[in-house]
Amino acid sequence: MAANVYKPRKPYRLSKYVFIFAIAFLFMPLAVLVAYSFNAGKTMAWHGFSFVWYEKLLFSSDELWKAVVNSLIIALSSAAVSTVIGTAGAIGVNWHQFKLKTYVRGATFLPLILPEIIIGVSLLIFFAGIGIHLGLFTIFIAHTSFNLPFVFLMVLARLEEFDYSIIEAAKDLGARERDALVKIIIPISRPGIISAFLMAVTMSLEDFVITFFVAGPGSTTLPLYVYSMIRFGVSPVINALSVVLISGTILLTLSARNLLKYIADR
Amino acid sequence: MLRIIAGFENPDAGAVSIDDIDILPLPPNRRHANTVFQNYALFPHLTVFENVAFSMRLKRASRKDVQLKVSDYLHLVELDGQADKMPSQLSGGQKQRVAIARALINEPSVLLLDEPLSALDAKLRQHMLIELDSIHDKIGITFIYVTHDQQEALSVSDRIAVMDKGNVLQVGTPYEIYESPADIFVANFIGETNLFQASVKAVEGELVDLEVPELGDIRVTTTCPVSVGATVNFTIRPEKIRISRAQPTLASEYNILQGTVEEPIYTGFQTKYFVRIDGTTTMKIFKQHINYTDEGPDIHWKDSVYVWWHAEDGYIVEDRPQ
């Protein structure tokens, strides 16, 4: 009988609308920002299409570019150092038995949970206490320390799916600890290490709160600079800068994905 | 035990020596023993070639030597032309071969195989078993092969050690292990058997009369000393029992029993029968179909049959010394 034929209801109509709404909610502000970066006028009224703010960004924003360079130096150096330390830590914690191991692992979660402002304040007190002048170096130390747990946990996650018998096989075939580390452990966990590094770069680039506390005169990073600009009213140069950053991030994400895929396929 | 020989674990007591050298103080990388791991443990980021070349690279062998030797060993395990593949592109059997080549290239004195075929399907397992045997013949070093598959053990070994819960129960040739099991566990574990408790009624040289509660009086020969009244274990292998519907005429060294077929399992080359003896117990009997005209397939479910075997074919198993 036709009445008994099962007809599926039109599926997911509600969830479709929720999805569209969520996407709109996430990306509308960005779209507005992108649009206004091409606005010829300085107010929210539309004065016609122009590249004037991009010109200004490129040719008359020396301070801003200094901040960008500072940010890049800090991001790359702190990411590199925290990747090395975090990877070494993860390897040690994963394969070596020692007392307090669970506490060490637990402690690494702490900086992820603690409010950034507390980390910022405590770092400031620490630097003041040992008498280091605030500047690029203190920012570098601060960023390295808050990147560490992320790198540690990401590499550890990769190591946990590591089949230990592979290391035993390497030793069985004549590898010493160091050979096993260099020829087996690091190459196999390379995708994890690289994504941890990229993650660290990103987090360092965008950090504001902690940097705000430990930055000194002449060591302004990009987020700090943007913040200081906003205090004198929203300049459309920031819109232009944001568009550049957004495009940069999208490019980086895509290339990182391809890079990781390339590494994984090799 | 393999892990102790390979050096991944330390024994509580005892010694391990290869070529009369005590190897216990040596770390795994300095022992002349290489392992084929149960899950292969290939290096996933290296090609087949580099996997096999791993130990040579560590020794900093020259490029030419590596090239020659690796292709030799890949040829040995019949993986010519696969050198540039990644382990993830290989089938289970191929991975196994890479693992074997990788372990052998070090020219160890002993090759340790940890259930190497357990991850393969039945047909491939048979094939690899023959391969392993022929590799063993070509290389001529000692293989120590751990397996739970007693068929595998019997077919490739020169000597078998049967272990249970860490204790070695018996060491011997496959023939000794099968035909003269040292205790009940070995008898049960290796091959199929019929096992009964019995008490000794009379001893006459090597000929012993037993009383088996389920079967009645049984004659058996034995070489181990038994005394009248003792309780012993009596075992008879299924393939040594003959079965027929017609009553045979037999000399007194034969044991003959009557029973009913409970379950015939025809498998082509042989039929397995479960025969209920006098309504008390079930015996396993295997009949090979040697000729086309064999009676075997004609013995059906619920048929009354006679089963018999020669006293020499039965065997008295010693109790495990506690």
Side-chain angles (χ1 to χ4, degrees), chain B residues 49-253:
Chain B
F49 185 93
E50 287 302 326
N51 261 283
V52 177
F54 188 78
S55 58
M56 294 193 76
R57 298 255 192 248
L58 286 175
K59 287 183 194 155
R60 305 186 189 288
S62 78
R63 186 178 290 246
K64 212 174 111 197
D65 286 353
V66 173
Q67 188 67 44
L68 279 175
K69 214 166 162 193
V70 171
S71 21
D72 271 2
Y73 276 88
L74 284 179
H75 180 70
L76 177 76
V77 295
E78 294 174 21
L79 280 175
D80 311 81
Q82 314 278 342
D84 295 328
K85 286 194 177 166
M86 300 305 289
S88 54
Q89 294 169 294
L90 301 179
S91 69
Q94 289 173 322
K95 284 183 193 166
Q96 189 62 71
R97 287 158 205 246
V98 177
I100 293 167
R102 186 179 71 173
L104 284 176
I105 202 163
N106 225 359
E107 292 171 349
S109 312
V110 178
L111 185 71
L112 308 170
L113 300 110
D114 182 8
E115 300 198 41
L117 307 181
S118 61
L120 305 177
D121 63 70
K123 219 164 198 169
L124 200 55
R125 201 177 305 171
Q126 277 302 317
H127 181 71
M128 281 302 294
L129 203 58
I130 298 165
E131 292 258 306
L132 267 177
D133 210 15
S134 76
I135 290 172
H136 179 245
D137 291 344
K138 279 186 224 160
I139 305 254
I141 62 166
T142 305
F143 281 26
I144 299 180
Y145 189 113
V146 169
T147 179
H148 281 106
D149 183 330
Q150 26 97 9
Q151 215 58 49
E152 237 172 74
L154 289 175
S155 43
V156 288
S157 317
D158 296 317
R159 281 203 304 160
I160 298 177
V162 182
M163 293 184 71
D164 178 35
K165 301 187 183 85
N167 298 313
V168 175
L169 303 179
Q170 186 175 8
V171 180
T173 63
Y175 180 74
E176 285 166 3
I177 298 269
Y178 188 77
E179 296 293 353
S180 324
D183 69 5
I184 303 175
F185 179 85
V186 178
N188 256 326
F189 184 66
I190 303 287
E192 293 189 67
T193 197
N194 298 290
L195 191 68
F196 302 98
Q197 276 219 326
S199 56
V200 180
K201 270 174 77 182
V203 182
E204 199 185 309
E206 291 197 343
L207 202 62
V208 180
D209 280 328
L210 298 177
E211 187 181 327
V212 181
E214 297 96 327
L215 306 178
D217 291 354
I218 295 293
R219 302 201 113 176
V220 62
T221 58
T222 185
T223 49
C224 56
V226 288
S227 48
V228 175
T231 305
V232 294
N233 296 292
F234 163 74
T235 172
I236 173 78
R237 296 282 185 190
E239 75 278 7
K240 296 196 172 71
I241 307 178
R242 311 280 299 277
I243 183 168
S244 168
R245 284 189 296 185
Q247 180 164 21
T249 18
L250 297 163
S252 66
E253 297 88 67

Side-chain angles (χ1 to χ4, degrees), chain A residues 53 148 181 211 241:
Chain A
W53 302 115
L148 253 176
L181 181 71
T211 318
L241 174 68

Side-chain angles (χ1 to χ4, degrees), chain A residues 163 165-166 168-176 179 183-184 187-188 266, chain B residues 3 8 29 33-35 37 39 41-45 54-55 58 102 106:
Chain A
D163 180 3
S165 63
I166 289 176
E168 284 187 338
K171 288 189 183 167
D172 187 71
L173 292 166
R176 291 159 299 169
D179 300 321
K183 298 195 165 161
I184 305 295
I188 292 179
R266 248 164 50 88
Chain B
R3 296 179 60 81
F8 300 128
N29 53 356
N34 286 115
T35 310
F37 289 82
N39 56 354
L42 298 183
F43 307 129
H45 60 303
F54 188 78
S55 58
L58 286 175
R102 186 179 71 173
N106 225 359

Side-chain angles (χ1 to χ4, degrees), chain A residues 11-171:
Chain A
Y12 314 126
R13 186 179 296 176
L14 180 68
S15 61
K16 195 168 79 185
Y17 292 135
V18 171
F19 175 72
I20 291 170
F21 178 76
I23 290 292
F25 189 78
L26 279 175
F27 287 99
M28 277 304 280
L30 291 182
V32 169
L33 189 132
V34 172
Y36 274 95
S37 73
F38 295 107
N39 189 2
K42 216 176 168 170
T43 56
M44 289 305 281
W46 185 255
H47 293 273
F49 186 84
S50 117
F51 281 111
V52 62
W53 302 115
Y54 287 89
E55 277 173 46
K56 212 167 176 190
L57 174 70
L58 273 179
F59 302 115
S60 48
S61 309
D62 290 349
E63 284 290 306
L64 189 148
W65 288 109
K66 230 184 105 190
V68 170
V69 170
N70 279 345
S71 269
L72 285 176
I73 291 171
I74 302 256
L76 293 174
S77 60
S78 73
V81 172
S82 56
T83 302
V84 172
I85 302 176
T87 302
I91 290 170
V93 168
N94 198 37
W95 279 312
H96 292 270
Q97 298 301 326
F98 54 89
K99 273 187 195 172
L100 305 174
K101 181 166 166 171
T102 39
Y103 298 100
V104 169
R105 291 190 66 159
T108 56
F109 281 97
L110 216 56
L112 308 182
I113 306 160
L114 278 179
E116 281 198 311
I117 196 153
I118 291 179
I119 299 176
V121 170
S122 60
L123 279 168
L124 177 63
I125 295 170
F126 172 69
F127 290 137
I130 61 172
I132 298 184
H133 288 292
L134 297 181
L136 278 187
F137 182 68
T138 48
I139 303 177
F140 160 75
I141 297 285
H143 284 210
T144 306
S145 72
F146 77 69
N147 274 334
L148 253 176
F150 285 95
V151 174
F152 176 83
L153 291 173
M154 280 178 83
V155 177
L156 195 63
R158 178 84 189 177
L159 292 180
E160 272 167 355
E161 56 195 61
F162 203 104
D163 180 3
Y164 190 69
S165 63
I166 289 176
I167 297 170
E168 284 187 338
K171 288 189 183 167

